[in-house]
Amino acid sequence: MSGQFQFLLLVFTSLTAAASNSTGLKCNPDDLIALTSFKAGIYIDTSGRLEKWVGHSCCEWDGIECNNTTGRVAEIHLPGFISTDDFVLQTKMEGFLSPSLTLLTSLEVIDLGGLISLSGNIPPSIGLRLPKLRKLYLYGNNLSGSIPESIGKLPNLEEMHLHENSLSGSIPSSMGSLKSLKALLLYSNRLSGLIPDSLSSLTSLVTLDLHGNSLVGHIPEEIGGLKVLKELDLSDNFLSGKIPSSMTNLTSISTIYLDTNFLEGGISFPVSPGDLPSLSFLRLHNNHLTGPIPSSFGYLDSLQRVSLANNRFQGSIPSSFGNLSALSELYLDGNQLAGRIPKSIGSLTQLILLSLSSNKIEGPLPQELSSLHNLQTINLSFNHLNLSSIPKWLAGLPSLSQIFLARCGIQGEIPAFLERTPSPLQELDLSSNHLIGSIPSWIGRLNQLYSLNLSKNLLASYIPDTVTNLHELGILDLHSNELTGSIEKVFEIESTFSDGSLTYIDLSNNGFSSGLQKIGIGSQNGVEILNVSHNLLQGGLPTTIEKLSSLQSLDLSHNQLGSRLPVSLGNLNSLQRLELQRNNFRGSIPGTFLKLKKLRELNLSDNLLVGQIPNGKPLSDFPQSSYSGNKGLCGNPLPSCRV
């Protein structure tokens, strides 16, 4: 600190000496010291604003505003985003946040948000030196250290935006003294400890966002005292305990996000009609909440989106959900809900998404769901529906484009009426059913299809040639069927994208025998995950495999490829997982495999490989089991080769 003080003293001495010889000085000496010291701490400014900070008339500098009466610096506006009528420019500053800013004792606004690389700490004396501060914007930087306890001594502070930094430590309880505070944004930091009970005293607070930290403990019991609070986000922390019953008293609240914590117990709100009258967005998913969903939930008639997914709710879906006339998205998946879907759901005319997957819901589906004319996505997968067949009215819904009916007990062939849905299908999941017959040729007419999952059925025959017309297809999952023939048509799908549309292909556990030679020849070179294991593929692995430069996982295991390992495999720089076991591969392991620096999983076992394993990482990091069953292999991690 002494060196820093000497630096400030030197700057002060030189500036005051210059000021005595200048009649045009328009900057208070302390303010000039503070701003010049701030500039000295920045070594890169891509906006070019600081390089214009010359002379002593700091009130005329870019980003600086002074009080017209006192001449003191009142506002600093140097945000990373610069907007004009013609463009929006992202700029950055590299350097440290100088504590000299606390010399600007008349400062009301600090806007240094979104500068990306601004580092250092929030000055510990910020609350002692800046009594007039109203707005503090330091978000979107690389600030570290703790939030100073003195920050609670800023009586006029209205907005504090410290989000998207690397701040650590606990939230100071002194923040409860900021009676003027309207917005407190601390999300996406590394804060830990408890949420101070004192925050319940911030009666002017409109927005409280603490998500994406490591906060523990309970939600303050008296949080319901924040009468003007509109947005509350405590998601993605480690909070536990019950949801406070006082939340019923949040009469102005429109958004409550408590998801991705360890909250337990039941839902304690609403109690009576008229409670939480403005609540539009509610997220409670990814917790440990239990019990039935209360029928009083139907009182929340302003709800537009609600997610209770991935909890432990039991009982039936309340029929009172039919009262939520503004509801557009309903997520109840991943619970233990039973019984039938209430008929009243059919009255939710604004509903565009209904997700009830992974519960214990029984069939039949209520005919009333055919009234959901705005429904775009329905997910009923992994329930006890036992549908036998897909209701024809379901495919007739005028807006439906995403259908997920995995493990719903569907039997017979893929119904032809799926070809003629009023809205073009974009996603179709009929996996884990009892479908028989072939993949119909009309599947190629679903030209807007992005995801097709027919895995774990009893489908036979071939992949139809018309699959090449699925120009938008990104995900193809046909694993665990009885399909035979060639897989070449998959790699011949034409696409308007330069690297093709497909990113995920799983054709494993079938009876395919050919077509692997088409890899890397067509336009489908953007594949990230490819699994063709447990088939009858022959003919070797083509050198064109290297064209799949985005490939992260490759599983060719349990086939009959029987060739040498291509040297070009070593050019797959993104590869993290490589499974080649039980293929009758022969010859040596190419030295180019040492270039696979991202490789985390490797299995070359039970082949006919010989010679020394190339010495070095990553090959030496894998266990002996990765190479076992190759009688001619030697070298680390196997026994040394004989001379």
Side-chain angles (χ1 to χ4, degrees):
M1 290 296 293
S2 59
Q4 196 171 57
F5 177 78
Q6 290 174 352
F7 170 75
L8 293 176
L9 185 61
L10 178 62
V11 172
F12 176 77
T13 303
S14 61
L15 289 175
T16 51
S20 63
N21 296 321
S22 174
T23 58
L25 183 65
K26 298 179 181 180
C27 194
N28 177 279
D30 284 345
D31 293 354
L32 193 56
I33 291 171
L35 295 175
T36 307
S37 297
F38 170 76
K39 177 182 177 180
I42 305 299
Y43 49 87
I44 293 178
D45 170 25
T46 62
S47 73
R49 288 172 291 189
L50 295 187
E51 68 183 20
K52 301 174 185 176
W53 283 16
V54 294
H56 303 135
S57 300
C58 66
C59 294
E60 299 175 3
W61 291 352
D62 276 4
I64 302 300
E65 294 185 21
C66 295
N67 184 289
N68 291 333
T69 302
T70 65
R72 298 296 303 271
V73 172
E75 300 185 12
I76 299 177
H77 293 282
L78 295 171
F81 280 103
I82 300 176
S83 299
T84 70
D85 293 336
D86 300 320
F87 62 88
V88 176
L89 178 65
Q90 169 69 70
T91 65
K92 72 173 183 176
M93 289 186 185
E94 292 188 22
F96 68 90
L97 179 64
S98 173
S100 67
L101 288 183
T102 58
L103 296 176
L104 300 167
T105 54
S106 294
L107 205 56
E108 298 179 24
V109 176
I110 298 177
D111 185 357
L112 299 173
L115 292 169
I116 303 176
S117 300
L118 185 64
S119 58
N121 301 332
I122 299 173
S125 62
I126 189 171
L128 305 175
R129 305 294 300 273
L130 304 179
K132 297 182 179 181
L133 196 64
R134 294 183 295 105
K135 297 180 180 181
L136 178 60
Y137 301 147
L138 296 175
Y139 63 89
N141 286 298
N142 194 30
L143 299 177
S144 56
S146 60
I147 301 173
E149 188 74 27
S150 73
I151 210 162
K153 298 184 181 297
L154 296 170
N156 297 302
L157 195 64
E158 298 173 359
E159 297 185 27
M160 187 191 307
H161 296 201
L162 305 180
H163 51 281
E164 296 176 344
N165 279 288
S166 298
L167 298 172
S168 57
S170 59
I171 299 173
S173 59
S174 64
M175 281 190 178
S177 301
L178 301 174
K179 302 302 182 183
S180 300
L181 198 64
K182 297 178 181 178
L184 177 57
L185 280 64
L186 305 179
Y187 65 84
S188 299
N189 277 287
R190 300 174 182 174
L191 299 171
S192 57
L194 305 174
I195 299 175
D197 290 336
S198 61
L199 295 190
S200 299
S201 302
L202 300 176
T203 52
S204 298
L205 206 59
V206 176
T207 301
L208 175 60
D209 193 341
L210 308 179
H211 84 263
N213 283 288
S214 299
L215 300 172
V216 298
H218 295 186
I219 300 171
E221 186 59 42
E222 301 303 320
I223 198 168
L226 304 179
K227 299 296 186 182
V228 298
L229 191 68
K230 292 184 178 181
E231 298 178 5
L232 173 65
D233 191 347
L234 305 179
S235 64
D236 196 14
N237 279 288
F238 298 97
L239 300 173
S240 57
K242 296 183 178 180
I243 299 173
S245 57
S246 70
M247 293 190 73
T248 302
N249 301 323
L250 296 173
T251 52
S252 300
I253 200 77
S254 65
T255 301
I256 298 177
Y257 292 164
L258 304 179
D259 58 278
T260 319
N261 280 290
F262 296 94
L263 299 174
E264 54 194 22
I267 300 176
S268 57
F269 59 83
V271 175
S272 306
D275 288 346
L276 304 169
S278 301
L279 185 61
S280 299
F281 307 102
L282 176 64
R283 295 194 329 210
L284 301 178
H285 57 269
N286 296 342
N287 278 290
H288 296 162
L289 299 173
T290 56
I293 300 172
S295 59
S296 61
F297 214 82
Y299 297 149
L300 301 173
D301 52 14
S302 293
L303 272 180
Q304 297 178 37
R305 292 201 293 267
V306 58
S307 178
L308 308 180
N310 299 322
N311 280 286
R312 300 169 184 173
F313 291 118
Q314 298 175 323
S316 59
I317 300 171
S319 60
S320 62
F321 268 68
N323 299 329
L324 305 177
S325 57
L327 199 63
S328 61
E329 297 179 23
L330 176 60
Y331 302 86
L332 300 178
D333 42 295
N335 283 287
Q336 300 170 30
L337 299 170
R340 296 182 178 180
I341 299 172
K343 297 178 180 179
S344 60
I345 296 293
S347 64
L348 301 178
T349 56
Q350 302 301 312
L351 201 64
I352 61 174
L353 185 148
L354 177 62
S355 183
L356 307 178
S357 66
S358 300
N359 280 287
K360 300 177 181 179
I361 296 170
E362 301 171 357
L365 299 180
Q367 180 74 29
E368 285 77 4
L369 295 186
S370 63
S371 299
L372 299 176
H373 291 167
N374 288 309
L375 195 67
Q376 299 174 14
T377 302
I378 188 167
N379 190 344
L380 305 177
S381 299
F382 303 105
N383 277 289
H384 298 170
L385 292 172
N386 294 320
L387 293 181
S388 296
S389 62
I390 301 173
K392 197 168 184 177
W393 59 259
L394 182 66
L397 290 173
S399 302
L400 195 63
S401 60
Q402 297 170 314
I403 300 175
F404 301 90
L405 296 175
R407 211 180 73 191
C408 286
I410 301 170
Q411 302 176 13
E413 298 186 349
I414 299 173
F417 57 72
L418 289 177
E419 177 192 357
R420 299 179 298 274
T421 56
S423 183
L425 282 179
Q426 296 175 356
E427 297 190 56
L428 178 62
D429 185 353
L430 301 179
S431 62
S432 301
N433 282 292
H434 308 289
L435 296 172
I436 60 174
S438 61
I439 299 175
S441 60
W442 56 255
I443 204 85
R445 289 193 279 276
L446 304 180
N447 56 16
Q448 293 189 32
L449 198 64
Y450 168 75
S451 176
L452 177 62
N453 190 346
L454 302 176
S455 64
K456 294 186 176 181
N457 280 288
L458 301 171
L459 297 170
S461 191
Y462 309 101
I463 295 176
D465 292 351
T466 56
V467 76
T468 58
N469 298 324
L470 300 178
H471 303 319
E472 306 293 327
L473 196 65
I475 298 172
L476 177 63
D477 192 345
L478 303 179
H479 84 267
S480 302
N481 278 286
E482 298 174 2
L483 299 169
T484 58
S486 175
I487 63 174
E488 64 182 9
K489 295 302 178 182
V490 172
F491 300 101
E492 292 177 353
I493 295 175
E494 295 297 326
S495 177
T496 56
F497 302 98
S498 58
D499 287 331
S501 56
L502 279 165
T503 60
Y504 181 100
I505 301 173
D506 191 347
L507 307 178
S508 62
N509 289 282
N510 280 287
F512 294 117
S513 56
S514 64
L516 198 61
Q517 286 67 34
K518 291 291 184 177
I519 288 181
I521 293 178
S523 63
Q524 296 297 336
N525 295 329
V527 180
E528 297 176 3
I529 297 176
L530 175 60
N531 188 350
V532 293
S533 65
H534 293 87
N535 279 287
L536 304 171
L537 295 170
Q538 301 177 3
L541 183 59
T543 58
T544 51
I545 186 74
E546 67 179 347
K547 296 288 186 63
L548 275 59
S549 57
S550 300
L551 201 61
Q552 299 175 19
S553 177
L554 175 62
D555 191 345
L556 305 176
S557 63
H558 296 267
N559 279 287
Q560 302 170 14
L561 295 176
S563 67
R564 292 180 175 273
L565 295 174
V567 172
S568 59
L569 263 178
N571 295 327
L572 298 176
N573 297 326
S574 299
L575 202 61
Q576 300 175 26
R577 179 173 177 264
L578 180 60
E579 304 280 338
L580 300 178
Q581 66 270 25
R582 291 186 179 272
N583 261 297
N584 294 325
F585 282 119
R586 60 184 185 272
S588 59
I589 299 174
T592 55
F593 275 35
L594 294 174
K595 293 161 51 178
L596 301 175
K597 299 301 183 183
K598 294 184 179 180
L599 200 62
R600 297 293 177 266
E601 297 180 45
L602 174 67
N603 196 335
L604 301 177
S605 65
D606 299 312
N607 282 292
L608 303 173
L609 299 172
V610 297
Q612 182 169 351
I613 298 171
N615 187 30
K617 294 178 178 294
L619 299 187
S620 60
D621 292 336
F622 297 108
Q624 291 187 4
S625 57
S626 294
Y627 306 99
S628 64
N630 292 281
K631 295 182 178 180
L633 273 185
C634 57
N636 192 21
L638 298 179
S640 300
C641 299
R642 296 179 181 178
V643 179

